[in-house]
Each structure stands twice: as C-alpha cells, then as structure tokens.
C-alpha cells in the first residue's frame, strides 16, 4: 500500500570531528548500518541515503545491504541535495534522519510521521514537525516535500542551505513548525545517543556491549536503548591502562584484557607501546570474545569521563597527575611514591610496598588456574620430570639459559622447557641435541602450568598461578625488588644472580618449594569489582569546595572509602566513596538508629533531652542568655523529633526547629508544639518561615558531619547568628581515643554519610573562616574500654584502673565525640 512517505537518511563521510564516522566499525557493523536498520522499520515507499558525490561509492554497498537507495548530490548545499532527490520521486511526507545516530527511536519516528499526516489531513496545516525531549541523537524530523521545495527557493542563507530544519523553523512567519513534547515513553532529554565526538563513539560501543550481553538484537526498541543508556556500564565508563612497556612482563596486560572482557571496559593501548607481544596478546583476547572496539589508543575527553584503572607497575608523578584529572583514578598494585594521586588503591599481588596503605588488599582477584595437579604430598610429587622456565615472556636479566643449563645438569633425564619471546632465538645453537626445548610464549599458559613438576619464574602472577596449580615454584630474582619480594613471601628462591648448582640445590630443598600457604580466600571477579568501583565518587573538601591542584594528603584508606586532609583549611574529609547517598526519611530514625544504638530514637528521647539540658546550660553560661522576659531565639538545625527543642524551651530559650525529615517535623509541630519547618539546610529562608532573620543561638547536634557542602552551610549559619551570638554543635571527634588508637579502624567504621571529621585542635582555624571564634570545647563520649591499656588488662568497670583511665580521657580530651561552642565575631 502506498504511504506517500519517504525516509531520507542524510550522510557524509567528511565529518571534521570524526572523519568517516558513518562507516566506522561499531561492534562489527558500520555506524550507518544501525541507522538504516532502525529507519527501515518506519513505513515508507522510498528509503534513501542522501549523500555527496565523493562519499557515494563507499556508501553504496551498505545502502544496498539494508534496502536503501543511495542518492548523490551537493556536499555543502544539503537543502539543494534534498530538493534534487525529491525531484526524482513522488512523495508527500519526508522523514529525515542523520547518519550519526545509530540509536534512533523508530517507534517515535513512526508516531511523529503519523501525527504530521493527521494534522495535514484534517483542517490544520503543518510544514514541519518534530518530537522534543528525546535523547540527543534519537529523534527525526518530519516535513512536507512540497514545503521543503518552497522553503529552499525562498532562502539564500548559507546556514539554511547547510542544514535542513532551519529553512523551516528559522522562518516561522512563513511555515508552521511544531515541536511536540514527546510522550513519556520517549522523553529522556538528559540522555545522549548521537555520535559526534570520539567520546560519543565510545559511549555507543558501551551501549552495544550492553545489548550484546543481554542478547538484544537490532534494530533496538526504545526501551532497550533507554535501559542500556541508564546501565552503570554506560553511565560509568572505565578505561584500563595496562603496562605495555618492555621489561614489565605481560601479566599486567593480560589481567587488564581479561577484566575488560568480563566487565565490558575499554583498554588503553598507546601507539608508542614497547612491549613486543602486545598485539599478539590483544589478538588472543579478541579471538576469545573481547570486542576490537574496546581497545582504544586515546583516552576520552571530558564529554565522556571514564574512571581510569591503572595496572602499570610504577607510574611517574606526571602520569598520575594527568590520569587523575577530573576523574577517578584507581590503581592496581601501584608501586609509585606518588599514590596520593590515586583515589583508590587495590593491591592484588602482595607487594613489597605493603607498608603503604591500600584501600583493599586481596590476592583472591588473581585468576587462578582451573587445571591443578591432583597428586598429594606423597613422594612421587618430588620426582622432577618436567621443568618450565618462564620469565614472564621477557627476560631482562638473561637468566633463562643459565637456569636451563643448571636444571639440565641436576636432572639429566628431565624435559626442560624454556619460554623465549625473542623473534630470533639466541640460544638455539646451545640447545641443539639436548633435553632443553625453547618455545614461544604460550597462549593460555595459566591452564598449562599444572603439567610441570617445577616452574621457574620471577615474582609475579605466574608464580602465584603455579603455586595454585600445585607445581613446585622456584623464583629467580631478576631485580633487587623481586629478590626482596620472593623472600618476604617465602618463595623457594635462587638468591644469587648467577645460578650455581648449590644455590639450585638449596632452592629445591626449601620447605617453601610447594608454597600453598600463600593462597588466600575465595576466588573473586576483578571485572565485577572494578565495575563496582567505577561508580565510586570523588569528593572535594566540603569546606573549600574545590579540588586542589596537588592531591590532598591521604589520611586513611579502606575498602569503600578514602579520607584526605584539605591542604587549604585542614579539614579531614571523605574524598572517595563507593557507597550511595542516604536518604533521611522515617527509616533512618526507626531502623538505622535502632541498628546503631539498640533502641529507637523516640525511646531515647528523654536521655537525649537530658544531654540537651546540659548543653543549653553551657550556652546560657557562655552567652548570659535566657531568663524570664529575656527569651533568646534559638534555631536547632536537624532538630529531628525535637528533644533539644524541649530542653532549650525548658532552659528559657525560644526554640525553632528545622529538619529534612517531614515525619520528624510533623512530630515537633503537633506533639511538642514548637515552630518547625521541613527544609533542607542551607536552603531554608528563616525570615519567611519564622519571621526571624537572625538568631541568638544556632545549634546542630550530630548534623554537621552530614553536609557535603559544608562551606555553604557554614556561610549560611554565619548569616543566621547575631553578632556576639552562639553557634554550637556536636560531632564525632577525629582526636578521640578511637581515632588515636586505631586510625584506620576509626575511619573504616565512620558512617558512610559523614563527609567531614572534625579534629578539636583545628576547629578554631576552620570556624574563623566563617566569622566564628571557638569559646569552649567539651570532650564527650568517654570510653575507657576503648583504651589499649584497658583492652589489654581487661580491667573491670569502676576498678581503680578504669577510673584512672576515665579521668585521663577527660583530662586529655580523648572522648570519641566533641561539642564545640563558638561565638560570632
Ligand atoms: Zn578545605
């Protein structure tokens, strides 16, 4: 049946930003193929690709394959090109798409064309129509062929001629143009699907990796495209940066390619790589299912910021600085002195530099072989018939031949296999007629290790894999570092640089020859873990709000977070977190609170109120406030269910409350009958809400640590406190006994929504920035049982020792929480 419609896909190969992008390979097909596939789903009489004469020949085969005709016209006068094409056919409605949009919503295209026709079939008239609100790159334009011819004849503006739509919508006085808000199903203006830049292209690769992993086949439906765009693997792209430098071995590259294959990540391989085996190893993984599009030689720019994962042995300060710019930098087994640049450190192969803290140390991420030796600890195992010498594909210290000869001497009947990566085997002359065999690097060596009785290698992945496979393992120290590592991790080891018969004998006799004890825990997927890290967020100092040019000093690292000290203001802050933001709703008070304190917030009301009476007393003493007739105003920010408002009221203050939990605010208003508003601080306008612009006292009890934008909050507090008035708050102390005695544990158990950790000794410096002067610091939360001396001696509560420690804790301000009272100056 005739539709009187034509689909025209506009295409040229001379794009400046991404030349030839329409034919660029995108996971096995050219970009254009996805466009044509989708547009072919739209009902029409004619399907055309409109291009220029230079591109015609190259595009023709793709057009034919997908049922499109190819029309060649002017390169720059796109409008003219459309008109010449329309002169060759008879059609009423044109549906125009462009060749850089592989994720077009064909359902929306069909609907908008139908809507356009409906308008023109009725009483109304429409020249041009498009849905607005679609992802950038998923929409089409619909217009009348006749109107386009008219519009073309009426404009000489070069801009109009270079494009199509503007000939209509830049002349709305003459043409009826409709921008229809797209139905909910298609309305995702925040998403981007077009391919304009290299980064866009990588996003498209991520989308298609997602489609492939979910067995979705094109042309893709709207829902599939939206689902992919919202997937973490698309939203949080990740680029692995392996070492491809000669001398570092091939383990880093293999580990990255393997993780990339598991997690759909990109792998950055620069053109100036020096590791000779790079291409053959990459090919091996591509044959095993990695997409060639996942290998990149440019790191995407800020339009598609990926997290960077380095696995490069030791980076320079400049490299770390460059890689950490504007995005998360996660480093595996990084040996550099400049690891403060890294948001996250993951140590997989226990490193010599284990003393430098890592966020996570776990050898369970080593991909262990499936094939392991089944023989047990009987004597047969000690029989040595097959020896593998494998110095990581490279052999910088030239130890392969001496090792082979030493083994031949000691085990004349054993078969000795040595892996040599050099193109020209320098040893071939020596080997002739002996029991030594030289082979090229082996694909999938990990699964072949179990065939050998002894594996000779240096400290690295292969050593761990061979131990796991049940082989005897002897390490040759190729560098001083390797020697130290071999010793540190109790490998059997030939410790000298020359391999003598006696040193070999010592190694063979070592009780560490079968070093099973090195292996820990369950197997884990590195790809999955890195995917989890890629959604992690880097945060800047909440007080200063900007990222410093040099990284701030790292204070503590743990599995889910990294803490730093701001070099500008001195605040300790959460600088990287993999934990999602919390919402403070009813659940916080009724579940979280109970989890933490063993009773509900309401059940605890009276004891919190009692604390409040004490605090109100301190404020009174400091400010001389209160008393009948002299009621002073007090604003409690984060008032929750109001225990402090009740205490303040009983202490002759005139209390006001604000909280982000509407439930809590309703309780304060209805049950306690104090004025309170539900509002997120610092967005509240107290002049409007309470008729009060400035208060005598502003308080925050265990609230201040929750602000991600503390600088803004303190500036607002400063405007809310009258000159000479009081600002008081309580918070966990970064100088209490828990923080002092076991810093890393303190930060590890610090709640995931505490963005700043206050150290009483630095509070005055920070508060002065906002016009406050610290008047009094009260150390609270004293826990003698957390002191090492009580832990060790097990002294009973109320014993002399206990009481002494308690007194000491008070005297030295070692409480785990602190109250800070300051005056507005
Ligand atoms: Zn700061």
């Amino acid at each position: 049946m005739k539709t009187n419609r034509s689909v025209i896909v506009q295409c040229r190969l001379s794009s400046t930003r991404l030349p030839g992008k329409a034919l660029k390979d995108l996971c096995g097909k050219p970009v254009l193929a996805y466009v044509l596939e989708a547009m072919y789903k739209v009902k029409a009489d004619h399907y055309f690709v409109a291009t220029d004469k230079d591109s015609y020949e190259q595009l023709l085969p793709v057009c034919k394959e997908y049922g499109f005709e190819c029309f060649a016209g002017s390169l720059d006068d796109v409008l003219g090109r459309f008109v010449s094409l329309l002169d060759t056919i008879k059609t009423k409605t044109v549906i125009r798409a462009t060749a850089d949009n592989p994720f077009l919503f064909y359902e929306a295209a069909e609907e908008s064309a139908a809507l356009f026709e409906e308008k023109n079939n009725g009483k109304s008239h429409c020249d041009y129509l498009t849905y607005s609100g679609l992802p950038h790159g998923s929409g089409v334009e619909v217009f009348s062929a006749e109107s386009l011819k008219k519009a073309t004849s009426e404009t000489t503006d070069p801009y109009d001629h270079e494009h199509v739509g503007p000939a209509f919508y830049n002349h709305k006085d003459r043409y009826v143009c409709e921008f229809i808000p797209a139905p909910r199903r298609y309305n995702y203006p925040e998403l981007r699907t077009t391919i304009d830049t290299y980064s866009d292209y990588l996003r498209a690769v991520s989308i298609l990796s997602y489609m492939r992993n979910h067995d979705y086949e094109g042309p893709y439906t709207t829902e599939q495209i939206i689902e992919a765009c919202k997937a973490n693997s698309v939203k949080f792209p990740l680029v692995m940066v392996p070492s491809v430098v000669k001398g570092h071995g091939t383990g880093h590259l293999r580990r990255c390619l393997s993780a990339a294959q598991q997690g759909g990540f990109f792998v950055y391989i620069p053109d100036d790589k020096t590791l000779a085996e790079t291409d053959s190893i990459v090919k091996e993984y591509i044959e095993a299912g990695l997409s060639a599009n996942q290998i990149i030689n440019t790191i995407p720019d800020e339009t598609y910021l990926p997290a960077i994962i380095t696995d490069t042995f030791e980076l320079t300060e400049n490299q770390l600085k460059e890689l950490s710019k504007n995005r998360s930098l996660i480093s595996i087994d990084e040996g550099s002195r400049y690891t403060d640049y890294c948001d996250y450190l993951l140590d997989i192969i226990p490193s010599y530099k284990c003393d430098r803290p890592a966020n996570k140390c776990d050898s369970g991420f080593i991909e262990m072989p499936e094939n392991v030796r089944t023989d047990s600890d009987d004597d047969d195992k000690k029989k040595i018939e097959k020896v593998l010498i494998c110095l990581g594909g490279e052999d910088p210290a030239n130890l392969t031949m001496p090792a082979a000869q030493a083994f031949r001497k000691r085990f004349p009947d054993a078969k000795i296999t040595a892996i040599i990566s050099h193109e020209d085997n320098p040893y071939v002359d020596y080997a002739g007629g002996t029991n030594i065999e030289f082979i090229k690097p082996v694909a999938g060596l990990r699964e072949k290790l179990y065939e050998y009785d002894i594996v000779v290698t240096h400290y690295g992945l292969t050593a761990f894999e061979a131990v796991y496979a049940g082989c005897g393992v002897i390490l040759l120290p190729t560098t001083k570092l390797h020697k130290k590592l071999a010793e540190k991790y109790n490998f059997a080891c030939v410790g000298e640089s020359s391999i003598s018969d006696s040193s070999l004998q010592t190694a063979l006799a070592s009780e560490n020859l079968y070093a099973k004890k090195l292996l820990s825990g369950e197997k884990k997927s590195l790809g999955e873990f890195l995917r989890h890290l890629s959604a992690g967020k880097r945060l800047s100092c909440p007080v200063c709000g900007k990222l410093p040019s040099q990284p701030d000093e790292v204070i503590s690292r743990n599995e889910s977070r990294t803490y730093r000290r701001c070099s500008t203001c001195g605040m300790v802050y959460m600088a990287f977190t993999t934990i999602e933001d919390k919402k403070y709703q009813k659940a916080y008070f009724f579940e979280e609170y109970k989890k933490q304190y063993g009773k509900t917030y309401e059940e605890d009301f009276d004891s919190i109120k009692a604390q409040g009476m004490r605090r109100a007393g301190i404020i009174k003493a400091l400010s001389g406030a209160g008393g009948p007739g002299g009621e002073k105003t007090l604003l409690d920010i984060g008032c929750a269910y109001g225990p402090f408002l009740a205490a303040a009221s009983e202490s002759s203050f005139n209390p006001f409350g604000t909280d982000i939990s509407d439930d809590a605010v309703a309780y304060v208003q209805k049950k306690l009958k104090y004025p309170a508003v539900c509002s997120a601080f610092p967005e509240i306008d107290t002049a409007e809400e309470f008729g009060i612009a400035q208060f005598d006292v502003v308080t925050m009890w265990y609230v201040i640590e929750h602000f991600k934008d503390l600088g803004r909050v303190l500036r607002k507090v400063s405007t809310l406190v009258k000159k000479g008035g009081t600002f008081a708050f309580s918070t966990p102390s970064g100088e209490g006994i828990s923080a002092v005695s076991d810093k890393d544990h303190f930060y590890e158990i610090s709640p995931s929504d505490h963005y700043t950790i206050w150290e009483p000794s630095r509070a005055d410096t920070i508060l002065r920035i906002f016009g406050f002067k610290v008047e009094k610091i009260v150390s609270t939360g004293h826990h003698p049982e957390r002191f090492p001396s009580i832990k060790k001696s097990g002294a009973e509560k109320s014993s002399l020792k206990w009481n002494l420690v308690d007194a000491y804790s008070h005297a030295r301000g070692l409480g785990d929480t602190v109250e800070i009272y300051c005056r507005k100056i």
Side-chain angles (χ1 to χ4, degrees), residues 104-118:
L104 289 158
F105 287 176
Y106 59 81
E107 299 103 319
E110 179 70 46
E111 272 179 34
S112 52
L115 187 62
F116 177 84
E117 287 159 345
E118 200 184 296

Side-chain angles (χ1 to χ4, degrees), residues 232 236-240 265 306-310 327-332 343-348 358-361 365 525-538 557-562 576-579:
N232 274 2
F236 306 113
L238 204 155
V239 175
M240 306 278 313
F265 315 144
I308 301 281
I309 314 265
T310 65
R327 55 190 146 212
S328 307
L329 176 62
I330 296 154
S331 292
I332 302 174
D343 293 289
Y344 198 94
L345 293 171
L346 172 63
D347 285 353
I348 296 177
N359 292 81
K360 190 175 172 70
C361 237
F365 289 114
S525 154
L526 181 60
E528 252 172 56
F529 185 68
L530 295 180
R531 171 54 65 217
H532 159 73
L533 287 186
S534 72
K537 282 180 294 285
R538 174 190 284 182
R557 293 182 183 272
N558 61 58
E559 180 158 355
S560 57
R561 280 157 296 159
T562 300
F576 184 77
T577 176
T578 60
I579 302 173

Side-chain angles (χ1 to χ4, degrees), residues 17-18 20-31 34 100 102-103 192-209 266 291-296 300-301 303-304:
R17 259 201 265 231
L18 211 58
K21 66 183 169 189
L23 290 181
K24 206 168 158 65
D25 174 72
L26 186 58
C27 301
K29 283 193 284 194
V31 171
Y34 296 90
D100 45 8
F103 305 107
R192 182 176 169 94
T193 54
T194 191
I195 299 185
D196 188 26
T197 63
Y198 180 64
S199 299
D200 289 333
Y201 170 72
L202 295 183
R203 182 185 298 104
V205 171
S206 295
I207 292 173
L208 287 169
S209 298
F266 296 100
S291 160
N293 293 139
Q294 285 171 259
I295 307 294
I296 60 175
D301 64 14
T303 58
Y304 191 53

Side-chain angles (χ1 to χ4, degrees), residues 648-664:
S649 175
E650 278 179 36
S651 307
S652 315
F653 287 99
N654 181 16
F656 298 82
T658 171
D659 200 280
I660 52 172
S661 161
D662 43 12
D663 218 69

Side-chain angles (χ1 to χ4, degrees), residues 541 543-544 566 568-569:
C541 168
V543 177
C544 303
C566 175
T568 308
C569 71

Side-chain angles (χ1 to χ4, degrees), residues 146-162:
E146 279 314 305
S147 306
L148 186 82
K149 287 178 190 173
K150 183 164 170 269
T152 305
S153 69
E154 283 177 0
T155 177
T156 52
D157 185 338
Y159 182 84
D160 287 351
H161 277 265
E162 265 175 59

Side-chain angles (χ1 to χ4, degrees), residues 105-173:
F105 287 176
Y106 59 81
E107 299 103 319
E110 179 70 46
E111 272 179 34
S112 52
L115 187 62
F116 177 84
E117 287 159 345
E118 200 184 296
K119 283 181 186 285
N120 284 314
N121 290 341
K123 281 183 197 123
S124 60
H125 169 79
C126 177
D127 295 297
Y128 171 97
L129 181 146
T130 190
Y131 270 172
S132 63
L134 266 61
H136 183 59
S138 292
V140 300
E141 293 171 304
V142 186
F143 48 83
S144 136
E146 279 314 305
S147 306
L148 186 82
K149 287 178 190 173
K150 183 164 170 269
T152 305
S153 69
E154 283 177 0
T155 177
T156 52
D157 185 338
Y159 182 84
D160 287 351
H161 277 265
E162 265 175 59
H163 303 82
V164 175
F168 291 113
Y169 54 72
N170 282 356
H171 306 276
K172 282 193 186 132
D173 52 325

